[in-house]
Amino acid sequence: MSSLAGSGTAHLRGDDALLSVKDIVVEYRAVGGATLQAVSRISFDVMPGETIGIVGESGCGKSTTGRAVLRIEEIVSGEITFDGRRIDKATNAQMRTHRQQMQMIFQDPVGSLNPRRAVRDVVAEGLEISGVSKAHRRKVAEDMLERVGLPADRFGSVTPTQLSGGQAQRVAIARAIALRPQLIICDEPVSALDVSVQAQVLNILEELKQDFELTIVFIAHDLAVVRSVSDRIMVMYLGKVCEVGDAVEVYDKPAHPYTRALLDSVPMPDPDEPFGGPALHGDIPSPLNPPSGCRFRTRCPVARDVCAEIEPLMQEVRPGQFAACHFPLAEAG
Ligand code: ADP
Ligand code: MG
């Protein structure tokens, strides 16, 4: 019990989750040898069929969280449960099986694809490892290419370097889904793409999500993108979770001052609409030496003395909406 004290897990919804992350810590060795906690005792869960969006400023630990789930990054402590099984201590052989169920899509599509192989073979790559016959692999790959709008007769033989960013990302999506995973972790999947192409890729992802009954963790710093795809949102700041809740609620009625500041710092699409309030100012503190108590307090407009002394735990501020704040914002209006 005591190991969970101070972590704040009130927002976890229990045993039906497909993915459950409890109190995980990921550390890196910084230049000079000091240790930084990129992810500092965070907890969240993802229900089957749900898309959870993870947002927060650059460096808050979003990618590290995604990588920790796939055990690309090792956790120092905590628990990760996937599909009813603890995977944080799984062996490499066990992880190979689990990873088939958990695919990742990265920001840089071209860089994540083998540049020397034909697109058809790139999509079939994961199936090679799982020992499916060559003819079947080819059929699955061609079917997947068709589904992402890149018909194999035109695109099957080209190499990833001959594709546009949007096309390459569609190949990455086809490759991930060819394995029929349950969970896809998308790490800034459209951040490197032109705005006009972003919607196209997001639509394909949404379509495939329905067709293949996928569960998605969608990481992005772009709040508009996350809002459009997510059922729930998790907001991170300096390695911690600040707020979790239904996407519409969190955007309409943010409870954590950081969420509010993040939303206020997004320029409104309507130029006549004024900014909602004070935007974020001040630099993000160094993760090597995070503020005591609440990590956001040094930039928080409502911080008081207690915020420096006691770390706020996750508490339910409205049904289904949780914030780690001593002074959560009341519903505006
Ligand atoms: P985000 O994806 O939210 O931008 P990251 O998870 O990439 O954040 O990084 C979280 C923190 O960990 C940052 O302070 C970053 O500088 C640090 N970090 C990430 N990767 C490494 C690494 N390989 N070595 C040392 N520090 C790292
Ligand atoms: Mg990142």
Side-chain angles (χ1 to χ4, degrees), residues 48-233:
E50 177 179 55
T51 298
I52 189 165
I54 304 184
V55 294
E57 289 164 286
S58 174
C60 69
K62 303 181 298 295
S63 295
T64 303
T65 300
R67 294 164 60 83
V69 168
L70 288 173
R71 299 259 320 264
I72 301 168
E73 232 51 85
E74 287 301 331
I75 59 173
V76 175
S77 57
E79 297 176 8
I80 303 172
T81 306
F82 177 73
D83 201 13
R85 291 199 183 84
R86 280 282 295 275
I87 59 167
D88 47 276
K89 293 195 175 67
T91 62
N92 286 340
Q94 289 166 329
M95 273 317 288
R96 269 196 290 280
T97 316
H98 293 313
R99 279 206 191 96
Q100 222 167 347
Q101 297 297 318
M102 299 188 279
Q103 290 293 301
M104 191 148 179
I105 294 168
F106 299 93
Q107 177 172 347
D108 170 22
V110 178
S112 71
L113 304 173
N114 185 333
R116 282 178 295 275
R117 298 191 85 177
V119 159
R120 179 188 281 116
D121 298 328
V122 168
V123 174
E125 242 162 27
L127 298 162
E128 277 168 33
I129 299 161
S130 70
V132 180
S133 83
K134 195 172 174 190
H136 186 65
R137 285 204 301 266
R138 190 183 169 104
K139 174 151 186 339
V140 171
E142 292 185 347
D143 177 45
M144 287 313 309
L145 283 170
E146 189 78 43
R147 280 170 174 267
V148 297
L150 301 171
D153 52 359
R154 273 183 61 208
F155 292 95
S157 306
V158 306
T159 59
T161 44
Q162 295 172 279
L163 299 174
S164 70
Q167 289 169 337
Q169 195 59 294
R170 284 191 266 163
V171 171
I173 292 169
R175 180 179 63 172
I177 295 176
L179 287 159
R180 301 295 177 102
Q182 290 178 273
L183 177 76
I184 299 207
I185 298 178
C186 303
D187 190 357
E188 310 258 5
V190 299
S191 302
L193 305 178
D194 290 343
V195 173
S196 58
V197 181
Q198 288 188 359
Q200 213 178 48
V201 172
L202 291 174
N203 285 341
I204 287 170
L205 204 55
E206 191 59 33
E207 246 175 64
L208 293 173
K209 178 187 152 83
Q210 301 302 333
D211 293 350
F212 291 90
E213 298 178 333
L214 299 168
T215 303
I216 297 182
V217 175
F218 193 100
I219 298 169
H221 65 273
D222 183 328
L223 289 144
V225 167
V226 172
R227 175 185 213 160
S228 72
V229 301
S230 305
D231 301 306
R232 279 195 311 145
I233 305 272

Side-chain angles (χ1 to χ4, degrees), residues 211-288:
D211 293 350
F212 291 90
E213 298 178 333
L214 299 168
T215 303
I216 297 182
V217 175
F218 193 100
I219 298 169
H221 65 273
D222 183 328
L223 289 144
V225 167
V226 172
R227 175 185 213 160
S228 72
V229 301
S230 305
D231 301 306
R232 279 195 311 145
I233 305 272
M234 169 167 117
V235 182
M236 288 184 68
Y237 184 78
L238 209 58
K240 294 274 185 191
V241 178
C242 299
E243 180 159 4
V244 180
D246 177 86
V248 175
E249 303 284 319
V250 169
Y251 276 79
D252 285 357
K253 303 169 223 161
H256 197 290
Y258 177 62
T259 311
R260 176 69 194 273
L262 256 191
L263 290 170
D264 287 344
S265 64
V266 178
M268 297 293 160
D270 176 358
D272 293 332
E273 176 136 338
F275 284 76
L280 271 173
H281 38 167
D283 292 331
I284 306 177
S286 164
L288 279 169

